[in-house]
Each structure stands twice: as C-alpha cells, then as structure tokens.
Amino acid sequence: MCAVPLSLKAAILLGVPEILNEAGPDAKLTSEEISKLIVSPGGTSADAENLDRLLRVLACHNIVTETCVAACPSNPQATERRYGVTPVLKYLIASNETGMSLSPLFLLRTDSVYTSAFQYLHAPVLDRNAEPFVIANGKKIIDVLETDSRLSELFDTSMAHHTHMWVSMLLETYRGFEGLTSLVDVGGGVGANLAMILSRYPDLRGINFDLPHVVAKGIQSPRLEHVAGDFFQSVPRGDAVWMKWILHCWSDESCVKILKSVNRALPPRGKLINMDSVLPETSDSSVETQINVCADMLMMAANKGGKQRTLTQFRKLAQDAGFSSVHLVATVDTLSVLEFHKG
Ligand SMILES: C[S@@+](CC[C@H](N)C(=O)[O-])C[C@H]1O[C@@H](n2cnc3c(N)ncnc32)[C@H](O)[C@@H]1O
C-alpha cells in the first residue's frame, strides 16, 4: 500500500520531523501543538485533525512514537495522542554537524516521476525492451533531468546527501585510497564524493567527471577539479577511479562500455573502487535483502537494462571489460565496495 511512504512524504513536506526534533528528545507533542508550528504557504493554519490521522500512520510503523495520555483529569475517558521522535526519524532530519539527511532521497524516490513508472513494472516482463519510466513520463530520466530544474536539483542534492552519509561511514574503515595521488570520480554528480574523500587525504587530487549540465553546478573544494564528458566515450586519467551508484543504472552491454573507458584511463595495475549494492544469490527476509530487491525494482522501473547485480554478475562485467580480478573489500549497510583490478 502506498499510504505509508506517501504519508511520510507529506510529513516531510510539512516539516514535521524538524518540528518534533526541535521540541527535544523527550518531547511529546499533540497534533494541535505541531499544527501551530507548521508554516503553510498561504499563511493559513494547519488542520490538526487531518495531521493527527497522518501521524497515526507513522506511529503504527514506528516512524514516530505515540503516547496516549488523559486529556482532561475530570474525564479519564478523554485521551489525546502525543507524538515524538524515533531513531528512524533521525535519518530524515538534517544533522547538526553536516546538514545531511535522507529526506531529499526519500522525496526523490516518492516523486511522481518514479511512482508513476512503478505502475508499469509488468511491462518489461511482457517485453524486455519496455521502459516503465518512458511509458509513464514520455522520456528517459536522463532527459528529464537535463530540462527539469526542480527534479535535477532534488536529484543532485539527494545524491550528495546520501554520498556524504555513506562515504563518511566507509572512510572509517576502508584504507584503499592510501598511497594514491589522483582519483577520478566517474559519474560523480556535483563532486560530493570526492570532496569527502579529499578532506581525509591531504595529498590526494580529485577529478570529478560527469555530464556538462551536472558539473556546471559542481561544488568548489580544495584540490577538486571538474571535468565534463561522456563516460561511454572516455574518462580522465588518474591513479585510481571511484564510482558510486553508476553500474546499477545500466544494462550489461552499457556497463562493459563504461568499464572499458575506465580500464583505458587506469595505469598498469591500477584499480577501480566501485561502490554499489551486491545482490545475494538467494533470497532471504533480512532488511538488507528486502532493500536490495526493492532497489532492483526501482532500476527496472527507471532505467532500461538497469539492475542490481550479484558478485558473479559483477565479475562477468569486469572480465568482459578486461579487468583481471574483482574483490569485495568493504560493506557499509546495504552498499559494498568492489575493487576491480587491472592486470
Ligand atoms: C545515480 S547518479 C550517482 C551520482 C554519484 N556517483 C553519487 O553516488 O552520489 C549517476 C550519475 O551519473 C551521471 N551520468 C549519467 N550518464 C553519464 C554519462 N554518459 N557520462 C558521465 N556521467 C553520466 C549522472 O549525471 C549522475 O550524476
């Protein structure tokens, strides 16, 4: 049922996570109290009763806490519901230290361009060339992002926030950037990945590579250069290449072309450090696998030929692109780092 994600989306748009957070870790607010803090675009006051209905959905799914208390001491039957933050909600609230959260990614994934594409998941089963996103929106996501500034802004922001959160966790344990002097981020968006990595490695120089309209919005950071281009043609040279969330957007054939461009840009014995989800060979009911297979449906809906892959499938791509080996070297939550080595 779409009511749960879309109720959460409504709460984010209304600023409810921030309102609960600012009230403090132990605060429990009624919908009446929350509604008074909602800033409505037209200056009208928010409807507390409808807000309460929305919050009950979130409470039933442990996204907010709900405490029932007597509303009036003289009438113990009359109760009121009070709501508070949960650890899950914290992921949707901008961190005090970094300003990052998963809210932009959640708003992106629940945008109507994606939810409309999900109406057509049956289409690529009936015809493997069918593209749900194109059926729903009339063009490919990459073409929408080039012209729709609202969606493009949301896309770039959500990638930058997600990257900041996941790459900072990776940098706690992964040591594969040590000893490098230059690192190229292929499909690096506005450069958030590299800015994070360079901040930990003062001797490292970074080249952020993406499409022209994306690098035009590139962030400015010490030792970070932006280069525009097309990874199907070529990518800039560097000691090593980093990629995050690129291969799952593309078909096997396209991935081999991208990987061949990367291979050509690497020195002998160079490596590609690739961060992506690795699908297990068999299904299970763990949260990680549930997220992974649902992300696979997102890829089927949004990108022709896009898919989550098993380690065996990554090894086949690497072999077809001329890499000598692939090693799974780190895992952060649902994302893994695979090093593709050039012989
Ligand atoms: C899913 S996003 C990942 C962004 C970033 N790596 C991250 O994880 O935050 C895919 C990126 O690939 C870029 N891209 C798509 N086609 C490209 C091409 N032909 N050449 C270079 N970059 C491309 C997109 O503009 C986008 O920034």
Side-chain angles (χ1 to χ4, degrees), residues 151-172:
L151 198 71
S152 166
E153 176 74 20
L154 180 60
F155 188 91
D156 293 338
T157 307
S158 62
M159 292 300 136
H161 282 223
H162 183 272
T163 282
H164 198 287
M165 296 167 82
W166 262 252
V167 175
S168 60
M169 288 190 271
L170 174 71
L171 289 171
E172 296 302 322

Side-chain angles (χ1 to χ4, degrees), residues 109 142 145 155-156 158-164 167 185-193 208-215 227-235 242-246 248-250 258 275 299 303 335:
R109 296 309 186 209
I142 203 149
L145 291 175
F155 188 91
D156 293 338
S158 62
M159 292 300 136
H161 282 223
H162 183 272
T163 282
H164 198 287
V167 175
D185 187 351
V186 169
V190 292
N193 280 304
N208 182 54
F209 180 77
D210 208 295
L211 294 169
H213 72 92
V214 181
V215 296
V227 175
D230 173 3
F231 50 44
F232 290 109
Q233 303 298 321
S234 65
V235 307
W242 160 266
M243 291 202 306
K244 171 175 163 278
W245 268 359
I246 300 297
H248 73 168
C249 300
W250 299 95
I258 298 168
M275 196 173 199
M299 292 305 122
N303 304 299
L335 289 184

Side-chain angles (χ1 to χ4, degrees), residues 89-100:
L89 200 74
K90 288 268 180 194
Y91 284 100
L92 300 167
I93 299 162
S95 139
N96 282 341
E97 295 85 51
T98 63
M100 302 293 159

